[in-house]
Amino acid sequence: MSSHESRIPVSPVAPLAESRVNHKTDFQSSAKTTGGNDMEPRITELETHLKYICRDLAEVRGDVKSIKHRLAYSAGAAAVVMGLLGWVANSRFDQLVGLMSS
């Protein structure tokens, strides 16, 4: 009877560490051939865009905070108005029934 290990086919896949090294060297060689000096203005441009995005995000956060406060005040005001209307309706219920029935 043959062992299990003898039946396993040998795959031509390189070990993970070796493939990572190959990718790194491929990346470094491609970066050098495309021009390393072209990266600096692109990085500066990306940094500038990131600053604008952060600034805009801060403005949006401020707007959301003010909208939350306005909604809270509006809900509070609506509750007060509804409470007053309920109190008036309760204290003048007989007059309201008379107005509705006529």
Side-chain angles (χ1 to χ4, degrees):
M1 192 184 317
S2 63
S3 69
H4 179 67
E5 293 175 6
S6 64
R7 285 187 266 158
I8 297 175
V10 178
S11 65
V13 177
L16 184 61
E18 184 180 321
S19 65
R20 285 185 180 174
V21 170
N22 290 339
H23 287 300
K24 286 181 183 179
T25 57
D26 289 344
F27 178 73
Q28 290 171 352
S29 64
S30 66
K32 290 178 184 176
T33 57
T34 58
N37 294 336
D38 293 339
M39 293 297 286
E40 186 66 31
R42 293 171 63 190
I43 291 173
T44 305
E45 184 179 357
L46 286 173
E47 288 173 346
T48 305
H49 287 305
L50 185 62
K51 286 179 187 177
Y52 288 136
I53 289 170
C54 289
R55 186 197 65 199
D56 293 343
L57 188 59
E59 289 178 13
V60 169
R61 284 184 183 142
D63 293 343
V64 167
K65 188 180 283 190
S66 71
I67 289 170
K68 283 182 180 179
H69 288 295
R70 288 179 186 171
L71 284 174
Y73 290 137
S74 298
V80 168
V81 168
M82 292 301 292
L84 286 174
L85 287 174
W87 176 71
V88 168
N90 190 27
S91 65
R92 303 292 183 179
F93 185 70
D94 56 342
Q95 291 179 351
L96 286 174
V97 170
L99 286 173
M100 291 178 158
S101 64
S102 56

Coordinates of all heavy atoms in Angstrom, one line a residue:
M1 N 0.8 -1.2 0.0 CA 0.0 0.0 0.0 C 0.9 1.2 0.0 O 1.8 1.3 0.8 CB -0.9 -0.1 1.3 CG -1.9 1.0 1.2 SD -3.0 1.2 2.5 CE -3.6 0.0 3.3
S2 N 0.6 2.2 -0.9 CA 1.4 3.4 -0.9 C 1.0 4.4 0.1 O -0.2 4.5 0.4 CB 1.4 4.0 -2.3 OG 0.1 4.4 -2.6
S3 N 1.9 5.3 0.5 CA 1.6 6.3 1.5 C 0.8 7.4 0.9 O 0.9 7.7 -0.3 CB 2.8 6.8 2.2 OG 3.6 7.5 1.3
H4 N 0.1 8.2 1.7 CA -0.7 9.3 1.3 C 0.2 10.4 0.7 O -0.1 11.1 -0.2 CB -1.5 9.8 2.4 CG -2.4 11.0 2.1 ND1 -3.4 10.9 1.2 CD2 -2.3 12.3 2.5 CE1 -4.0 12.1 1.1 NE2 -3.3 13.0 1.9
E5 N 1.4 10.6 1.3 CA 2.3 11.7 0.9 C 2.8 11.5 -0.5 O 3.1 12.4 -1.2 CB 3.5 11.7 1.8 CG 3.1 12.2 3.2 CD 4.3 12.1 4.2 OE1 5.4 11.9 3.7 OE2 4.1 12.4 5.4
S6 N 2.9 10.3 -1.0 CA 3.4 10.0 -2.3 C 2.3 10.4 -3.4 O 2.6 10.6 -4.5 CB 3.8 8.6 -2.5 OG 2.7 7.7 -2.3
R7 N 1.1 10.4 -3.0 CA 0.0 10.7 -4.0 C -0.3 12.2 -4.1 O -0.9 12.7 -5.0 CB -1.3 10.1 -3.5 CG -1.3 8.6 -3.8 CD -2.6 8.0 -3.6 NE -2.6 7.5 -2.2 CZ -3.7 7.2 -1.5 NH1 -4.9 7.5 -2.0 NH2 -3.6 6.7 -0.3
I8 N 0.2 13.1 -3.2 CA 0.0 14.5 -3.3 C 0.9 15.1 -4.4 O 2.1 14.9 -4.4 CB 0.4 15.2 -1.9 CG1 -0.6 14.7 -0.8 CG2 0.3 16.7 -2.0 CD1 -0.2 15.2 0.5
P9 N 0.2 15.8 -5.3 CA 1.1 16.3 -6.4 C 1.9 17.5 -5.9 O 1.5 18.3 -5.0 CB 0.0 16.8 -7.5 CG -1.2 17.0 -6.7 CD -1.2 16.0 -5.5
V10 N 3.0 17.7 -6.5 CA 3.8 18.8 -6.2 C 3.4 20.0 -7.0 O 3.4 20.0 -8.2 CB 5.3 18.5 -6.5 CG1 6.2 19.7 -6.1 CG2 5.7 17.3 -5.7
S11 N 3.0 21.1 -6.3 CA 2.6 22.3 -7.1 C 3.7 23.3 -7.3 O 4.6 23.4 -6.5 CB 1.5 23.0 -6.3 OG 2.0 23.5 -5.1
P12 N 3.7 24.0 -8.4 CA 4.8 24.9 -8.7 C 4.6 26.3 -8.1 O 5.2 27.2 -8.6 CB 4.8 24.9 -10.3 CG 3.3 24.7 -10.6 CD 2.8 23.8 -9.5
V13 N 3.8 26.4 -7.1 CA 3.6 27.7 -6.5 C 4.7 28.1 -5.5 O 5.2 27.2 -4.7 CB 2.2 27.7 -5.7 CG1 2.0 29.0 -5.0 CG2 1.1 27.3 -6.6
A14 N 5.2 29.3 -5.7 CA 6.3 29.8 -4.8 C 5.8 30.1 -3.4 O 4.6 30.4 -3.2 CB 6.9 31.0 -5.4
P15 N 6.6 29.9 -2.4 CA 6.2 30.3 -1.1 C 5.8 31.7 -1.0 O 6.2 32.6 -1.8 CB 7.5 30.0 -0.2 CG 8.3 29.1 -1.1 CD 8.0 29.4 -2.5
L16 N 5.0 32.0 0.0 CA 4.4 33.4 0.2 C 5.5 34.4 0.4 O 5.4 35.5 -0.2 CB 3.4 33.4 1.3 CG 2.7 34.7 1.6 CD1 1.8 35.0 0.3 CD2 1.8 34.6 2.8
A17 N 6.5 34.2 1.2 CA 7.5 35.2 1.5 C 8.3 35.5 0.2 O 8.6 36.6 -0.1 CB 8.5 34.6 2.6
E18 N 8.5 34.5 -0.6 CA 9.3 34.7 -1.8 C 8.5 35.5 -2.8 O 9.0 36.4 -3.5 CB 9.7 33.3 -2.5 CG 10.5 33.4 -3.7 CD 10.8 32.0 -4.2 OE1 11.1 31.1 -3.4 OE2 10.8 31.9 -5.5
S19 N 7.2 35.3 -2.9 CA 6.3 36.0 -3.8 C 6.2 37.5 -3.4 O 6.2 38.4 -4.2 CB 5.0 35.4 -4.0 OG 4.3 35.5 -2.7
R20 N 6.2 37.7 -2.1 CA 6.2 39.1 -1.6 C 7.4 39.8 -2.0 O 7.4 41.0 -2.4 CB 6.0 39.1 -0.1 CG 4.6 38.8 0.3 CD 4.4 39.0 1.8 NE 3.1 38.6 2.2 CZ 2.7 38.6 3.5 NH1 3.5 38.8 4.4 NH2 1.5 38.3 3.8
V21 N 8.6 39.2 -1.9 CA 9.8 39.8 -2.2 C 9.8 40.1 -3.7 O 10.3 41.2 -4.1 CB 11.0 38.9 -1.9 CG1 12.3 39.4 -2.5 CG2 11.1 38.7 -0.4
N22 N 9.3 39.2 -4.6 CA 9.3 39.5 -6.0 C 8.4 40.7 -6.3 O 8.7 41.5 -7.2 CB 8.8 38.2 -6.7 CG 9.8 37.1 -6.7 OD1 11.0 37.4 -6.5 ND2 9.3 35.9 -6.9
H23 N 7.2 40.8 -5.6 CA 6.3 41.9 -5.8 C 7.0 43.2 -5.4 O 6.8 44.2 -6.1 CB 5.0 41.7 -5.1 CG 4.1 40.7 -5.7 ND1 3.6 40.8 -6.9 CD2 3.6 39.5 -5.1 CE1 2.9 39.7 -7.2 NE2 2.8 39.0 -6.1
K24 N 7.7 43.2 -4.3 CA 8.4 44.4 -3.9 C 9.4 44.9 -4.9 O 9.5 46.0 -5.3 CB 9.0 44.2 -2.5 CG 8.1 44.2 -1.4 CD 8.8 44.0 -0.1 CE 7.8 43.9 1.1 NZ 8.5 43.7 2.4
T25 N 10.2 43.9 -5.4 CA 11.2 44.3 -6.4 C 10.6 44.7 -7.7 O 11.1 45.7 -8.3 CB 12.2 43.1 -6.6 OG1 11.5 42.0 -7.1 CG2 13.0 42.8 -5.4
D26 N 9.5 44.1 -8.1 CA 8.8 44.5 -9.3 C 8.3 46.0 -9.1 O 8.3 46.8 -10.0 CB 7.6 43.6 -9.6 CG 8.1 42.2 -10.1 OD1 9.3 42.2 -10.5 OD2 7.3 41.3 -10.1
F27 N 7.7 46.3 -7.9 CA 7.2 47.6 -7.7 C 8.3 48.6 -7.7 O 8.1 49.7 -8.3 CB 6.4 47.6 -6.4 CG 5.9 49.0 -6.0 CD1 4.8 49.5 -6.7 CD2 6.5 49.7 -5.0 CE1 4.3 50.7 -6.4 CE2 6.0 51.0 -4.7 CZ 4.9 51.5 -5.4
Q28 N 9.4 48.3 -7.1 CA 10.5 49.3 -7.0 C 11.0 49.5 -8.4 O 11.4 50.7 -8.8 CB 11.6 48.8 -6.1 CG 11.1 48.8 -4.6 CD 12.1 48.2 -3.7 OE1 13.1 47.5 -4.2 NE2 11.9 48.3 -2.4
S29 N 11.2 48.5 -9.2 CA 11.7 48.7 -10.5 C 10.7 49.4 -11.4 O 11.2 50.3 -12.2 CB 12.1 47.3 -11.2 OG 10.9 46.6 -11.4
S30 N 9.4 49.2 -11.3 CA 8.5 49.9 -12.1 C 8.4 51.4 -11.7 O 8.2 52.3 -12.5 CB 7.1 49.3 -12.0 OG 6.6 49.4 -10.7
A31 N 8.6 51.7 -10.4 CA 8.5 53.1 -9.9 C 9.7 53.8 -10.5 O 9.6 55.0 -10.8 CB 8.5 53.1 -8.4
K32 N 10.9 53.2 -10.5 CA 12.0 53.8 -11.0 C 11.9 54.1 -12.5 O 12.4 55.1 -13.0 CB 13.3 53.0 -10.7 CG 13.6 53.0 -9.3 CD 14.8 52.1 -9.0 CE 15.1 52.0 -7.5 NZ 16.2 51.1 -7.3
T33 N 11.3 53.2 -13.3 CA 11.2 53.4 -14.7 C 10.2 54.4 -15.1 O 10.4 55.1 -16.1 CB 10.9 52.1 -15.4 OG1 9.7 51.6 -14.9 CG2 12.0 51.0 -15.2
T34 N 9.1 54.6 -14.3 CA 8.1 55.6 -14.6 C 8.6 57.0 -14.2 O 7.9 58.0 -14.5 CB 6.8 55.3 -14.0 OG1 7.0 55.2 -12.6 CG2 6.2 54.0 -14.5
G35 N 9.6 57.1 -13.4 CA 10.1 58.4 -13.0 C 9.7 58.7 -11.5 O 8.5 58.9 -11.2
G36 N 10.7 58.6 -10.7 CA 10.4 58.9 -9.2 C 10.2 60.3 -8.9 O 9.5 60.7 -8.0
N37 N 10.6 61.2 -9.8 CA 10.5 62.7 -9.5 C 9.0 63.1 -9.8 O 8.6 64.2 -9.3 CB 11.4 63.5 -10.3 CG 12.9 63.2 -9.9 OD1 13.1 62.9 -8.8 ND2 13.8 63.5 -10.8
D38 N 8.3 62.3 -10.6 CA 6.9 62.7 -10.9 C 6.0 62.5 -9.7 O 4.9 63.0 -9.7 CB 6.4 61.9 -12.1 CG 7.1 62.3 -13.4 OD1 7.7 63.4 -13.4 OD2 7.1 61.4 -14.3
M39 N 6.4 61.7 -8.7 CA 5.6 61.4 -7.6 C 5.4 62.6 -6.6 O 4.4 62.8 -6.0 CB 6.1 60.2 -6.8 CG 6.1 58.9 -7.6 SD 4.4 58.4 -8.0 CE 3.9 57.8 -6.4
E40 N 6.4 63.4 -6.5 CA 6.4 64.5 -5.5 C 5.2 65.5 -5.8 O 4.5 65.8 -4.8 CB 7.7 65.3 -5.5 CG 7.8 66.3 -4.4 CD 7.8 65.7 -3.0 OE1 8.2 64.6 -2.9 OE2 7.3 66.4 -2.1
P41 N 5.0 66.0 -7.0 CA 3.9 66.9 -7.2 C 2.5 66.2 -7.0 O 1.6 66.8 -6.5 CB 4.0 67.4 -8.6 CG 5.3 66.9 -9.1 CD 5.8 65.9 -8.2
R42 N 2.5 65.0 -7.3 CA 1.2 64.2 -7.2 C 0.9 64.0 -5.7 O -0.3 64.1 -5.3 CB 1.3 62.9 -7.9 CG 1.4 63.0 -9.4 CD 1.7 61.7 -10.1 NE 0.6 60.8 -9.9 CZ 0.7 59.5 -10.2 NH1 1.8 59.0 -10.8 NH2 -0.3 58.7 -10.0
I43 N 1.9 63.8 -4.9 CA 1.7 63.6 -3.5 C 1.3 64.9 -2.8 O 0.4 65.0 -2.0 CB 3.0 63.1 -2.8 CG1 3.2 61.6 -3.2 CG2 2.9 63.2 -1.3 CD1 4.5 61.0 -2.8
T44 N 1.9 66.0 -3.3 CA 1.6 67.3 -2.8 C 0.1 67.7 -3.1 O -0.6 68.2 -2.3 CB 2.5 68.4 -3.4 OG1 3.8 68.0 -3.1 CG2 2.2 69.8 -2.8
E45 N -0.3 67.3 -4.3 CA -1.7 67.6 -4.8 C -2.6 66.7 -3.9 O -3.7 67.2 -3.5 CB -1.8 67.2 -6.2 CG -3.2 67.5 -6.8 CD -3.3 67.2 -8.3 OE1 -2.3 66.8 -8.9 OE2 -4.4 67.3 -8.8
L46 N -2.3 65.5 -3.6 CA -3.2 64.6 -2.8 C -3.3 65.2 -1.4 O -4.3 65.2 -0.8 CB -2.6 63.2 -2.8 CG -2.8 62.4 -4.1 CD1 -2.1 61.1 -3.9 CD2 -4.3 62.2 -4.3
E47 N -2.1 65.7 -0.9 CA -2.2 66.3 0.5 C -3.1 67.5 0.5 O -3.8 67.7 1.5 CB -0.8 66.7 0.9 CG 0.1 65.5 1.3 CD 1.6 65.9 1.5 OE1 2.0 67.0 1.2 OE2 2.3 65.0 2.1
T48 N -3.0 68.3 -0.6 CA -3.9 69.5 -0.6 C -5.3 69.1 -0.7 O -6.2 69.7 0.0 CB -3.5 70.3 -1.9 OG1 -2.1 70.6 -1.8 CG2 -4.3 71.6 -1.9
H49 N -5.7 68.1 -1.5 CA -7.0 67.6 -1.6 C -7.5 67.1 -0.2 O -8.7 67.3 0.2 CB -7.2 66.5 -2.6 CG -7.1 67.0 -4.0 ND1 -7.9 68.0 -4.5 CD2 -6.3 66.7 -5.1 CE1 -7.7 68.3 -5.8 NE2 -6.7 67.5 -6.2
L50 N -6.6 66.4 0.5 CA -7.0 65.8 1.8 C -7.3 67.0 2.8 O -8.2 66.8 3.6 CB -5.8 64.9 2.3 CG -6.1 64.2 3.6 CD1 -7.3 63.2 3.4 CD2 -4.9 63.4 4.0
K51 N -6.5 68.0 2.7 CA -6.8 69.2 3.6 C -8.1 69.8 3.3 O -8.9 70.1 4.2 CB -5.7 70.3 3.4 CG -4.4 69.9 4.0 CD -3.4 71.0 3.8 CE -2.0 70.6 4.2 NZ -1.0 71.6 3.9
Y52 N -8.5 69.9 2.0 CA -9.8 70.5 1.7 C -10.9 69.5 2.1 O -12.0 70.0 2.6 CB -9.9 70.7 0.2 CG -9.1 71.9 -0.3 CD1 -8.3 71.8 -1.5 CD2 -9.1 73.1 0.4 CE1 -7.6 72.9 -1.9 CE2 -8.4 74.2 -0.1 CZ -7.6 74.1 -1.2 OH -6.9 75.1 -1.7
I53 N -10.7 68.2 2.0 CA -11.7 67.2 2.4 C -11.9 67.3 3.9 O -13.1 67.3 4.4 CB -11.3 65.8 2.0 CG1 -11.4 65.7 0.5 CG2 -12.2 64.8 2.7 CD1 -10.8 64.4 -0.1
C54 N -10.8 67.4 4.7 CA -11.0 67.6 6.1 C -11.7 68.8 6.5 O -12.5 68.8 7.4 CB -9.6 67.5 6.8 SG -8.8 65.9 6.7
R55 N -11.4 69.9 5.8 CA -12.0 71.2 6.1 C -13.5 71.1 5.8 O -14.4 71.5 6.6 CB -11.4 72.3 5.3 CG -12.0 73.7 5.6 CD -11.7 74.7 4.6 NE -12.4 74.3 3.4 CZ -12.1 74.8 2.2 NH1 -11.1 75.6 2.0 NH2 -12.8 74.4 1.1
D56 N -13.9 70.5 4.7 CA -15.3 70.4 4.3 C -16.0 69.5 5.3 O -17.2 69.7 5.6 CB -15.4 69.8 2.9 CG -14.9 70.8 1.8 OD1 -14.8 72.0 2.1 OD2 -14.7 70.4 0.7
L57 N -15.3 68.4 5.7 CA -15.9 67.5 6.7 C -16.2 68.2 8.0 O -17.2 68.0 8.6 CB -15.0 66.3 6.9 CG -15.6 65.1 7.7 CD1 -16.8 64.6 7.1 CD2 -14.5 64.0 7.8
A58 N -15.3 69.1 8.4 CA -15.5 69.8 9.6 C -16.7 70.8 9.5 O -17.5 70.9 10.4 CB -14.3 70.7 10.0
E59 N -16.9 71.4 8.3 CA -18.1 72.2 8.1 C -19.4 71.4 8.1 O -20.4 71.8 8.7 CB -17.9 72.9 6.7 CG -16.9 74.0 6.6 CD -16.8 74.6 5.2 OE1 -17.7 74.4 4.4 OE2 -15.8 75.3 5.0
V60 N -19.3 70.2 7.5 CA -20.5 69.3 7.5 C -20.9 68.9 8.9 O -22.0 68.9 9.3 CB -20.3 68.1 6.6 CG1 -21.3 67.1 6.8 CG2 -20.2 68.5 5.2
R61 N -19.9 68.6 9.7 CA -20.1 68.3 11.2 C -20.8 69.4 11.9 O -21.7 69.2 12.7 CB -18.8 67.9 11.9 CG -18.3 66.5 11.5 CD -17.1 66.2 12.3 NE -16.5 64.9 11.9 CZ -15.3 64.6 11.8 NH1 -14.3 65.6 12.1 NH2 -14.9 63.4 11.4
G62 N -20.3 70.7 11.7 CA -20.9 71.8 12.3 C -22.4 72.0 11.8 O -23.2 72.4 12.6
D63 N -22.6 71.8 10.5 CA -24.0 71.9 10.0 C -24.9 70.9 10.6 O -26.0 71.2 11.0 CB -24.0 71.8 8.5 CG -23.3 73.0 7.8 OD1 -23.1 74.0 8.4 OD2 -22.9 72.8 6.6
V64 N -24.4 69.7 10.7 CA -25.2 68.6 11.3 C -25.6 68.9 12.8 O -26.7 68.7 13.2 CB -24.5 67.2 11.2 CG1 -25.2 66.2 12.0 CG2 -24.5 66.8 9.7
K65 N -24.6 69.5 13.5 CA -24.8 69.8 14.9 C -25.8 70.9 15.0 O -26.7 70.8 15.8 CB -23.5 70.3 15.5 CG -23.6 70.5 17.0 CD -22.3 70.9 17.6 CE -21.4 69.7 17.7 NZ -20.1 70.0 18.5
S66 N -25.8 71.9 14.1 CA -26.8 73.0 14.2 C -28.2 72.5 13.8 O -29.2 72.9 14.4 CB -26.4 74.2 13.3 OG -26.5 73.8 12.0
I67 N -28.2 71.6 12.8 CA -29.5 71.0 12.4 C -30.1 70.2 13.6 O -31.3 70.3 13.9 CB -29.4 70.1 11.2 CG1 -29.1 71.0 10.0 CG2 -30.6 69.3 10.9 CD1 -28.7 70.3 8.7
K68 N -29.3 69.4 14.3 CA -29.8 68.7 15.5 C -30.3 69.6 16.5 O -31.4 69.3 17.1 CB -28.6 67.8 16.1 CG -28.3 66.6 15.3 CD -27.2 65.8 16.0 CE -26.8 64.6 15.3 NZ -25.7 63.8 16.0
H69 N -29.7 70.7 16.8 CA -30.1 71.7 17.8 C -31.5 72.3 17.4 O -32.4 72.4 18.2 CB -29.1 72.7 18.1 CG -27.9 72.3 18.8 ND1 -28.0 71.8 20.1 CD2 -26.6 72.1 18.5 CE1 -26.8 71.4 20.5 NE2 -25.9 71.6 19.5
R70 N -31.6 72.7 16.1 CA -32.8 73.2 15.6 C -34.0 72.3 15.7 O -35.1 72.6 16.1 CB -32.6 73.7 14.2 CG -31.8 74.9 14.0 CD -31.6 75.4 12.6 NE -30.7 76.5 12.4 CZ -30.2 76.9 11.3 NH1 -30.6 76.3 10.2 NH2 -29.4 77.9 11.3
L71 N -33.7 71.0 15.4 CA -34.7 70.0 15.5 C -35.2 69.8 16.9 O -36.4 69.6 17.2 CB -34.3 68.7 14.9 CG -34.3 68.6 13.4 CD1 -33.6 67.3 12.9 CD2 -35.7 68.7 12.8
A72 N -34.2 69.8 17.8 CA -34.5 69.6 19.2 C -35.4 70.8 19.7 O -36.4 70.6 20.4 CB -33.3 69.5 20.1
Y73 N -35.0 72.0 19.4 CA -35.8 73.2 19.8 C -37.2 73.1 19.1 O -38.2 73.5 19.8 CB -35.1 74.5 19.4 CG -33.9 74.8 20.2 CD1 -32.7 75.2 19.6 CD2 -33.8 74.6 21.6 CE1 -31.6 75.5 20.3 CE2 -32.7 74.8 22.3 CZ -31.6 75.3 21.7 OH -30.4 75.5 22.4
S74 N -37.3 72.7 17.9 CA -38.6 72.7 17.2 C -39.5 71.6 17.9 O -40.7 71.8 18.1 CB -38.4 72.3 15.7 OG -37.7 73.3 15.1
A75 N -38.9 70.5 18.2 CA -39.7 69.4 18.9 C -40.1 69.9 20.3 O -41.3 69.7 20.6 CB -38.8 68.2 19.0
G76 N -39.3 70.6 21.0 CA -39.7 71.1 22.3 C -40.8 72.2 22.1 O -41.7 72.2 22.9
A77 N -40.7 73.0 21.2 CA -41.7 74.1 20.9 C -43.0 73.4 20.6 O -44.1 73.8 21.0 CB -41.2 75.0 19.9
A78 N -43.0 72.4 19.7 CA -44.2 71.7 19.3 C -44.8 71.0 20.5 O -46.1 71.0 20.6 CB -43.9 70.7 18.2
A79 N -44.0 70.4 21.4 CA -44.6 69.8 22.6 C -45.3 70.8 23.5 O -46.3 70.6 24.1 CB -43.5 69.1 23.3
V80 N -44.6 72.0 23.6 CA -45.2 73.1 24.5 C -46.6 73.5 23.9 O -47.6 73.7 24.6 CB -44.3 74.2 24.7 CG1 -44.9 75.4 25.3 CG2 -43.1 73.8 25.5
V81 N -46.6 73.7 22.6 CA -47.8 74.2 21.9 C -48.9 73.1 22.0 O -50.1 73.5 22.3 CB -47.5 74.5 20.4 CG1 -48.8 74.7 19.6 CG2 -46.7 75.8 20.3
M82 N -48.6 71.9 21.8 CA -49.6 70.8 22.0 C -50.1 70.7 23.4 O -51.3 70.5 23.6 CB -49.0 69.5 21.5 CG -48.7 69.4 20.0 SD -50.1 69.7 19.0 CE -51.0 68.2 19.4
G83 N -49.2 70.9 24.4 CA -49.6 70.9 25.8 C -50.5 72.0 26.1 O -51.5 71.8 26.8
L84 N -50.2 73.2 25.6 CA -51.1 74.3 25.8 C -52.5 74.1 25.2 O -53.5 74.4 25.8 CB -50.5 75.6 25.3 CG -49.4 76.2 26.1 CD1 -48.7 77.4 25.4 CD2 -49.9 76.6 27.5
L85 N -52.5 73.6 23.9 CA -53.8 73.3 23.3 C -54.6 72.3 24.0 O -55.8 72.4 24.1 CB -53.5 72.9 21.8 CG -53.1 74.0 20.8 CD1 -52.7 73.4 19.5 CD2 -54.2 75.0 20.7
G86 N -53.9 71.3 24.5 CA -54.6 70.2 25.3 C -55.1 70.8 26.6 O -56.3 70.5 27.0
W87 N -54.4 71.7 27.2 CA -54.9 72.3 28.5 C -56.1 73.2 28.2 O -57.1 73.1 29.0 CB -53.8 73.1 29.1 CG -54.2 73.8 30.3 CD1 -54.5 73.3 31.5 CD2 -54.4 75.2 30.4 NE1 -54.8 74.3 32.4 CE2 -54.7 75.5 31.8 CE3 -54.2 76.3 29.6 CZ2 -55.0 76.8 32.2 CZ3 -54.5 77.6 30.0 CH2 -54.9 77.8 31.3
V88 N -56.0 74.0 27.1 CA -57.2 74.8 26.8 C -58.4 73.9 26.4 O -59.5 74.2 26.8 CB -56.8 75.8 25.6 CG1 -58.0 76.5 25.1 CG2 -55.8 76.8 26.1
A89 N -58.1 72.9 25.6 CA -59.3 72.0 25.2 C -59.9 71.3 26.5 O -61.1 71.2 26.5 CB -58.8 71.0 24.3
N90 N -59.0 71.0 27.4 CA -59.6 70.3 28.6 C -60.4 71.2 29.5 O -61.4 70.9 30.0 CB -58.4 69.7 29.4 CG -58.9 68.7 30.5 OD1 -60.0 68.2 30.4 ND2 -58.1 68.6 31.5
S91 N -59.9 72.5 29.6 CA -60.6 73.4 30.5 C -61.8 74.0 29.9 O -62.7 74.4 30.5 CB -59.6 74.5 30.9 OG -59.3 75.3 29.8
R92 N -61.9 74.0 28.6 CA -63.1 74.5 27.8 C -63.8 73.4 27.0 O -64.3 73.7 26.0 CB -62.6 75.6 26.9 CG -61.9 76.8 27.5 CD -62.8 77.5 28.4 NE -62.2 78.7 29.0 CZ -62.7 79.5 29.7 NH1 -64.0 79.4 30.1 NH2 -62.0 80.6 30.2
F93 N -63.8 72.2 27.5 CA -64.3 71.1 26.8 C -65.8 71.3 26.5 O -66.3 71.0 25.4 CB -64.1 69.8 27.6 CG -64.5 68.6 26.9 CD1 -63.8 68.1 25.8 CD2 -65.7 67.9 27.3 CE1 -64.2 67.0 25.1 CE2 -66.1 66.7 26.6 CZ -65.4 66.3 25.5
D94 N -66.5 71.8 27.5 CA -68.0 72.0 27.3 C -68.3 73.0 26.2 O -69.2 72.8 25.4 CB -68.7 72.3 28.6 CG -68.1 73.6 29.3 OD1 -66.9 73.9 28.9 OD2 -68.8 74.2 30.1
Q95 N -67.5 74.0 26.1 CA -67.7 75.0 25.0 C -67.3 74.4 23.7 O -68.0 74.7 22.7 CB -66.8 76.3 25.3 CG -67.3 77.1 26.5 CD -66.4 78.3 26.8 OE1 -65.3 78.4 26.2 NE2 -66.9 79.1 27.7
L96 N -66.3 73.6 23.6 CA -65.9 73.0 22.4 C -67.0 72.0 21.9 O -67.3 72.0 20.7 CB -64.6 72.2 22.5 CG -63.3 73.0 22.6 CD1 -62.1 72.1 22.9 CD2 -63.0 73.8 21.3
V97 N -67.6 71.3 22.8 CA -68.7 70.4 22.4 C -69.8 71.1 21.9 O -70.5 70.8 20.9 CB -69.0 69.4 23.6 CG1 -70.3 68.7 23.3 CG2 -67.9 68.5 23.9
G98 N -70.1 72.2 22.6 CA -71.2 73.1 22.1 C -70.9 73.7 20.7 O -71.8 73.8 19.9
L99 N -69.7 74.1 20.4 CA -69.4 74.6 19.1 C -69.5 73.6 18.0 O -69.9 73.8 16.9 CB -68.0 75.2 19.1 CG -67.8 76.6 19.9 CD1 -66.3 76.9 19.9 CD2 -68.5 77.7 19.1
M100 N -69.1 72.3 18.4 CA -69.1 71.3 17.4 C -70.5 70.8 17.1 O -70.8 70.4 16.0 CB -68.2 70.1 17.9 CG -66.8 70.3 17.9 SD -65.9 68.9 18.5 CE -64.3 69.1 17.9
S101 N -71.3 70.8 18.1 CA -72.7 70.3 17.9 C -73.6 71.3 17.2 O -74.6 70.9 16.7 CB -73.3 69.9 19.2 OG -73.4 71.0 20.1
S102 N -73.3 72.6 17.2 CA -74.1 73.5 16.5 C -73.9 73.7 15.1 O -73.2 73.2 14.4 CB -74.0 74.9 17.2 OG -72.7 75.4 17.2

